[in-house]
Amino acid sequence: MAAAGLDLMVLTEPEDIYYLTAHQTVGAPQVQALMVPVSPNEEMYFVTRLLEVSNAEHRSLLRLYFSYSDYEVGIEKVAEVVRERSTGARVVGIQRGSKRLAPAQYETLTERLTDLAVAAVCRFEDCTHLVGRLRLIKSPAEQAMIRRAAEFCAAGVRLAQARARPGMTEASISALVYQ
């Protein structure tokens, strides 16, 4: 982020949000955004719909989350919370290519944040692929977890191979893995 000159990232891609927070949702078609400040002294914060708050609270690493009701405009809530929490942000990265951020929502967000900075000097940069590129390079801990997951998968395949019999359906063989 610092190398890209960003003060704040607004992430709306569910895969990137999950990568950084372990937050998963079935409510992805609704606006949800993870704000990532450049300063390691500032905590990430999340905006989602009210029905998703318990998900954020109990099934993620998030500690700061804000919500909006279904009758509210989600992107307006994102702008409001950013204005309150990230007053020093001058360069904001937004995932312009996100499938979860419509062009009209992008326009609304940038309009609401334009006066965030002194004399309206706030500018916006596309950070669509920034987290995705980081996800491509696996840390030693991630490599260890991938190996462990592969061991579980291989054990399931071996079990299915050992128990499969002629005449069994594919679904029956698949079910063996989950027994």
Side-chain angles (χ1 to χ4, degrees):
M1 274 181 68
L6 302 177
D7 298 316
L8 178 73
M9 276 194 313
V10 178
L11 303 176
T12 54
E13 280 296 292
E15 298 86 353
D16 294 340
I17 293 170
Y18 175 78
Y19 181 74
L20 295 174
T21 68
H23 174 75
Q24 294 187 75
T25 180
V26 294
Q30 301 297 324
V31 171
Q32 56 183 352
L34 176 67
M35 275 53 70
V36 183
V38 70
S39 171
N41 299 326
E42 294 180 55
E43 195 164 353
M44 296 185 296
Y45 56 97
F46 187 61
V47 174
T48 190
R49 61 195 288 232
L50 183 60
L51 291 173
E52 290 285 334
V53 168
S54 63
N55 195 19
E57 183 177 4
H58 299 291
R59 295 190 177 116
S60 76
L61 304 174
L62 292 162
R63 292 186 296 189
L64 283 174
Y65 36 86
F66 304 87
S67 65
Y68 60 92
S69 297
D70 283 346
Y71 60 84
E72 295 177 287
V73 179
I75 203 68
E76 296 275 356
K77 184 65 173 186
V78 171
E80 174 189 322
V81 174
V82 169
R83 290 173 57 97
E84 290 171 4
R85 296 202 54 85
S86 297
T87 56
R90 300 295 181 261
V91 182
V92 178
I94 301 175
Q95 292 182 308
R96 284 198 76 171
S98 172
K99 55 192 166 291
R100 304 292 188 218
L101 185 67
Q105 291 171 318
Y106 175 83
E107 286 180 29
T108 299
L109 182 60
T110 56
E111 286 172 6
R112 300 298 185 275
L113 296 180
T114 298
D115 64 352
L116 182 75
V118 177
V121 294
C122 189
R123 76 175 202 273
F124 304 95
E125 298 290 336
D126 184 13
C127 70
T128 300
H129 303 291
L130 189 62
V131 176
R133 283 194 303 264
L134 294 174
R135 288 181 12 221
L136 293 174
I137 302 166
K138 304 301 180 203
S139 70
E142 288 172 306
Q143 292 173 19
M145 296 304 286
I146 290 169
R147 280 198 272 310
R148 185 74 175 130
E151 290 170 7
F152 283 115
C153 289
V157 169
R158 284 192 299 274
L159 178 74
Q161 287 175 324
R163 293 189 180 169
R165 300 289 175 253
M168 291 179 74
T169 65
E170 183 178 341
S172 296
I173 294 170
S174 294
L176 294 173
V177 173
Y178 296 99
Q179 293 180 351

